[in-house]
Amino acid sequence: MGKYLIVGCGLSGSVIGRELAEDGHDITIWDRRDHIGGNMYDYLDEHGIIVHKYGPHCFHTNNKALYDYMCRYNQWRPFRIFCQAEINGKATPSPFNFQTIDDFYPKDDAQKLKDALKENYPNREFVTVVEALESPVSIIREYAEFLFEKDYSLYTAKQWGMAPSEIDPSVLKRVPLRLSYKDGYFDDEYQVMPVTTYEQFFKNILNHPNIKVKLGIDALDHISKDEKRNIILVDGDDSFNVIYTGALDELFDCCYGKLPYRSLRFEWKYEEKDSFQGAPLVAYPQAEGYTRIVEYKKMPLQDVKGTSYAVEYPLPYNHSEEVEPYYPILTEHSQSLYIQYRELASKYSNLIACGRLADFKYYNMDQALNRSLAQSRIIQEKK
């Protein structure tokens, strides 16, 4: 059986580690952080509230096999997340729906707009804001322009660090406007949160005699490259197969240039009140600096005194600073740059790159899980 070093103890690294351990391989997992679970890590804060250190995580999927896999390692409860956006001081459902129209239009005008939407988009559950912006019907187009001006352009400008005038509406093609009063952020069949914690899920999946986990160790301090033999060395040892889930440019010392990411800063707060806002997650497009506030007491609802919440401030990612890369900035240049790194990685016979950072994609949890299981099967078939 093989000997594997997995760099990163998030979902991708942990799933691949467990799958290979079940197959009899010797697995060592390193993570530079002081905890398991990657960005899914949660913990009990000083006020007795379970919070997510790196932003909110709700597992959602339409793939029963992926849901069943998660159930092998933890118990889950149904949780359908409800979100809002605050516009002109008023909180309205997000994604926007017919309630949003009622919130901002007089009664008669609201009815005309809802009728026009249903007439122009028959048998549709939603349209994108781009479609609405391009509508020949003035009342629909004006509604989309209102939302673009008050929400989409402002939020996206803060999220990606650009002026509203520079935003191409085409980047919003996947943003839905619901053509009904239906609410809820996702429509997936399976939407769940842990009965206990995500940390417990990771403890369970990593609980195997063939898996050893070492935290607080930066793999890049121990990895070198033998360019003559095209292999990765671990403290000079060439016997490891290396599964790397981190940022691929950093593995190769940014030799082609840095891959661009956006990061986040979290401002943690606690108040002695039962509720801070009307939904677990509220976007604040018109606020200065921050994009959203997540009230963790409501993810899921916890029967505790007071409430803990995090205010999220987007910021540029810099390799030299102690911030995490969250969102890959996908441009023609950045994707071309990533392909160069991917081709370089493919030259090393004992290196496998897999995961959100290594793939330079912003995966949902089910996408990361599916990718990791597929990569595990490829490894197993080759060995």
Side-chain angles (χ1 to χ4, degrees):
M1 290 291 105
K3 186 167 66 169
Y4 287 85
L5 171 68
I6 298 178
V7 179
C9 198
L11 185 61
S12 298
S14 298
V15 167
I16 294 174
R18 180 64 186 232
E19 291 297 290
L20 297 184
E22 294 276 2
D23 208 29
H25 298 285
D26 182 23
I27 307 299
T28 299
I29 302 178
W30 288 350
D31 200 295
R32 63 181 179 178
R33 294 169 172 172
D34 62 0
H35 59 75
I36 60 177
N39 286 359
M40 291 170 62
Y41 175 68
D42 55 4
Y43 64 96
L44 199 67
D45 73 2
E46 60 185 306
H47 307 289
I49 298 172
I50 297 172
V51 299
H52 301 183
K53 185 172 183 177
Y54 304 98
H57 287 79
C58 174
F59 184 82
H60 57 96
T61 187
N62 284 316
N63 189 324
K64 185 176 185 301
L66 297 180
Y67 169 71
D68 289 343
Y69 185 89
M70 298 293 283
C71 290
R72 287 170 54 184
Y73 299 106
N74 210 27
Q75 290 183 298
W76 303 84
R77 71 181 78 182
F79 180 75
R80 187 168 171 268
I81 189 169
F82 172 64
C83 303
Q84 294 178 324
E86 185 173 292
I87 298 175
N88 294 348
K90 182 179 293 186
T92 192
S94 177
F96 302 121
N97 62 8
F98 281 180
Q99 181 59 52
T100 304
I101 297 174
D102 293 343
D103 287 339
F104 294 102
Y105 282 76
K107 185 175 180 180
D108 290 345
D109 291 343
Q111 191 59 54
K112 290 178 182 177
L113 175 54
K114 287 180 283 188
D115 290 343
L117 287 166
K118 287 188 286 188
E119 179 181 344
N120 283 272
Y121 305 104
N123 303 315
R124 295 273 298 273
E125 292 187 14
F126 60 84
V127 296
T128 69
V129 69
V130 174
E131 288 178 282
L133 283 168
E134 296 173 347
S135 173
V137 181
S138 60
I139 191 173
I140 295 176
R141 188 172 61 254
E142 289 165 5
Y143 173 54
E145 289 170 350
F146 167 76
L147 295 177
F148 186 80
E149 176 189 352
K150 300 292 185 179
D151 180 273
Y152 293 127
S153 65
L154 302 178
Y155 191 94
T156 306
K158 287 188 290 186
Q159 182 76 8
W160 297 104
M162 62 180 70
S165 60
E166 297 175 345
I167 296 172
D168 184 346
S170 66
V171 304
L172 304 171
K173 285 186 176 179
R174 294 186 179 181
V175 179
L177 299 178
R178 292 192 185 276
L179 303 183
S180 68
Y181 283 95
K182 183 177 180 180
D183 59 20
Y185 200 76
F186 303 116
D187 290 328
D188 301 88
E189 182 175 357
Y190 304 97
Q191 301 181 48
V192 295
M193 292 280 286
V195 170
T196 53
T197 60
Y198 282 111
E199 183 185 31
Q200 187 59 54
F201 164 78
F202 281 95
K203 286 180 178 179
N204 294 341
I205 201 170
L206 295 168
N207 182 21
H208 191 282
N210 290 352
I211 297 177
K212 298 184 292 292
V213 177
K214 294 184 179 181
L215 301 175
I217 180 170
D218 192 334
L220 297 182
D221 294 336
H222 299 267
I223 285 177
S224 59
K225 296 172 282 291
D226 185 332
E227 296 177 358
K228 290 184 178 179
R229 293 188 292 161
N230 287 327
I231 59 173
I232 300 293
L233 304 176
V234 180
D235 289 328
D237 186 349
D238 64 1
S239 65
F240 282 92
N241 294 292
V242 177
I243 299 173
Y244 185 81
T245 70
L248 209 52
D249 57 339
E250 295 183 11
L251 176 62
F252 293 105
D253 305 311
C254 299
C255 62
Y256 299 130
K258 297 178 181 179
L259 290 171
Y261 293 90
R262 291 290 285 175
S263 187
L264 291 172
R265 176 176 66 85
F266 300 93
E267 189 175 287
W268 290 93
K269 298 187 178 184
Y270 171 81
E271 294 193 29
E272 291 280 357
K273 57 172 60 174
D274 288 334
S275 176
F276 173 75
Q277 57 189 17
L281 193 158
V282 178
Y284 294 86
Q286 295 168 312
E288 184 67 31
Y290 62 91
T291 49
R292 66 183 185 180
I293 296 177
V294 182
E295 188 172 8
Y296 285 101
K297 178 181 181 176
K298 298 174 180 175
M299 284 200 67
L301 188 62
Q302 302 174 54
D303 185 16
V304 293
K305 182 181 178 181
T307 187
S308 294
Y309 59 93
V311 186
E312 297 186 5
Y313 292 83
L315 70 162
Y317 172 66
N318 189 318
H319 293 240
S320 62
E321 298 176 0
E322 292 186 1
V323 295
E324 298 292 336
Y326 285 94
Y327 310 107
I329 300 174
L330 300 178
T331 65
E332 185 176 340
H333 173 72
S334 68
Q335 293 184 83
S336 175
L337 187 62
Y338 171 73
I339 290 173
Q340 288 183 271
Y341 282 113
R342 193 81 196 192
E343 291 176 348
L344 180 57
S346 69
K347 295 179 180 179
Y348 290 82
S349 60
N350 65 333
L351 174 65
I352 297 166
C354 179
R356 180 177 58 90
L357 294 178
D359 291 340
F360 199 59
K361 292 182 179 179
Y362 188 69
Y363 290 134
N364 290 330
M365 283 186 283
D366 64 329
Q367 294 170 318
L369 174 59
N370 192 53
R371 167 81 171 98
S372 302
L373 290 172
Q375 182 63 70
S376 300
R377 289 191 293 270
I378 291 171
I379 295 171
Q380 290 165 332
E381 289 168 1
K382 286 184 177 180
K383 304 299 178 184

